[in-house]
Amino acid sequence: ELRDAPVLFLLSKQDLPNAMRPAEAKERMRLNELFRGRVWDLVPTSIKDEASVHRALERLVEMCREIKAKGPSQVKEVAAVE
Protein backbone atom coordinates (compact mmCIF):
# COMPACT_ATOMS: atom_id res chain seq x y z
CA GLU A 1 0.00 0.00 0.00
CA LEU A 2 1.17 3.46 -0.82
CA ARG A 3 -0.88 5.52 1.62
CA ASP A 4 2.10 5.75 3.99
CA ALA A 5 4.63 6.45 1.23
CA PRO A 6 6.08 9.96 1.09
CA VAL A 7 5.09 12.10 -1.89
CA LEU A 8 7.66 14.45 -3.41
CA PHE A 9 6.76 16.97 -6.08
CA LEU A 10 9.55 18.39 -8.23
CA LEU A 11 8.73 21.88 -9.38
CA SER A 12 10.89 22.03 -12.49
CA LYS A 13 11.96 24.77 -14.89
CA GLN A 14 12.97 27.03 -12.00
CA ASP A 15 15.74 28.46 -14.18
CA LEU A 16 13.14 30.23 -16.32
CA PRO A 17 12.14 33.80 -15.46
CA ASN A 18 8.39 33.07 -15.49
CA ALA A 19 8.64 29.85 -13.49
CA MET A 20 5.84 29.25 -11.01
CA ARG A 21 7.04 29.69 -7.45
CA PRO A 22 6.54 26.94 -4.87
CA ALA A 23 3.90 28.80 -2.84
CA GLU A 24 1.83 29.43 -5.97
CA ALA A 25 2.15 25.82 -7.14
CA LYS A 26 1.15 24.56 -3.71
CA GLU A 27 -1.96 26.74 -3.77
CA ARG A 28 -2.96 26.08 -7.40
CA MET A 29 -2.61 22.30 -7.01
CA ARG A 30 -4.31 22.40 -3.59
CA LEU A 31 -1.53 20.24 -2.16
CA ASN A 32 -2.28 21.05 1.49
CA GLU A 33 -5.85 19.94 0.94
CA LEU A 34 -5.15 16.88 -1.21
CA PHE A 35 -2.34 15.50 0.91
CA ARG A 36 -3.59 16.41 4.38
CA GLY A 37 -2.26 13.86 6.85
CA ARG A 38 0.37 12.60 4.41
CA VAL A 39 4.11 13.15 4.37
CA TRP A 40 4.81 15.28 1.32
CA ASP A 41 6.98 18.11 0.09
CA LEU A 42 7.52 20.25 -2.98
CA VAL A 43 11.07 21.00 -4.09
CA PRO A 44 11.98 23.58 -6.73
CA THR A 45 14.36 22.13 -9.35
CA SER A 46 16.05 22.88 -12.62
CA ILE A 47 17.87 20.43 -14.85
CA LYS A 48 20.40 23.21 -15.39
CA ASP A 49 21.10 23.18 -11.65
CA GLU A 50 22.21 19.65 -10.89
CA ALA A 51 22.41 20.47 -7.18
CA SER A 52 18.66 21.15 -7.08
CA VAL A 53 17.96 17.63 -8.32
CA HIS A 54 20.31 16.22 -5.69
CA ARG A 55 18.54 18.28 -3.00
CA ALA A 56 15.21 16.82 -4.10
CA LEU A 57 16.52 13.26 -3.82
CA GLU A 58 18.08 14.03 -0.46
CA ARG A 59 14.73 15.37 0.72
CA LEU A 60 13.02 12.15 -0.34
CA VAL A 61 15.56 10.12 1.63
CA GLU A 62 14.96 12.35 4.69
CA MET A 63 11.22 11.84 4.40
CA CYS A 64 11.65 8.05 4.20
CA ARG A 65 13.90 8.08 7.25
CA GLU A 66 11.36 10.14 9.20
CA ILE A 67 8.63 7.65 8.42
CA LYS A 68 10.82 4.68 9.25
CA ALA A 69 12.01 6.17 12.55
CA LYS A 70 8.67 7.46 13.80
CA GLY A 71 6.17 5.33 11.98
CA PRO A 72 3.79 6.83 9.43
CA SER A 73 1.14 7.83 11.96
CA GLN A 74 3.67 9.83 14.00
CA VAL A 75 5.13 11.95 11.20
CA LYS A 76 3.50 15.33 10.82
CA GLU A 77 2.39 16.66 7.48
CA VAL A 78 5.16 18.47 5.65
CA ALA A 79 4.47 21.91 4.24
CA ALA A 80 5.79 22.80 0.84
CA VAL A 81 8.90 24.92 0.52
CA GLU A 82 8.06 28.62 0.23
Side-chain angles (χ1 to χ4, degrees), residues 35-48:
F35 290 93
R36 180 165 290 137
R38 296 278 309 264
V39 176
W40 68 276
D41 204 351
L42 183 145
V43 178
T45 61
S46 168
I47 197 66
K48 293 181 178 182

Side-chain angles (χ1 to χ4, degrees), residues 20-39:
M20 186 181 300
R21 297 292 152 223
E24 181 184 357
K26 181 177 92 170
E27 184 179 326
R28 280 184 164 200
M29 294 189 292
R30 301 180 5 233
L31 296 178
N32 283 331
E33 183 181 327
L34 293 172
F35 290 93
R36 180 165 290 137
R38 296 278 309 264
V39 176

Side-chain angles (χ1 to χ4, degrees), residues 8 12 19 24 26 36 39-40 44 48 57-58 60-62 65-66 68 71 77 81:
L8 183 65
S12 64
E24 181 184 357
K26 181 177 92 170
R36 180 165 290 137
V39 176
W40 68 276
K48 293 181 178 182
L57 294 175
E58 288 171 357
L60 182 59
V61 170
E62 288 173 16
R65 286 183 178 149
E66 275 184 62
K68 186 175 180 181
E77 180 177 324
V81 176

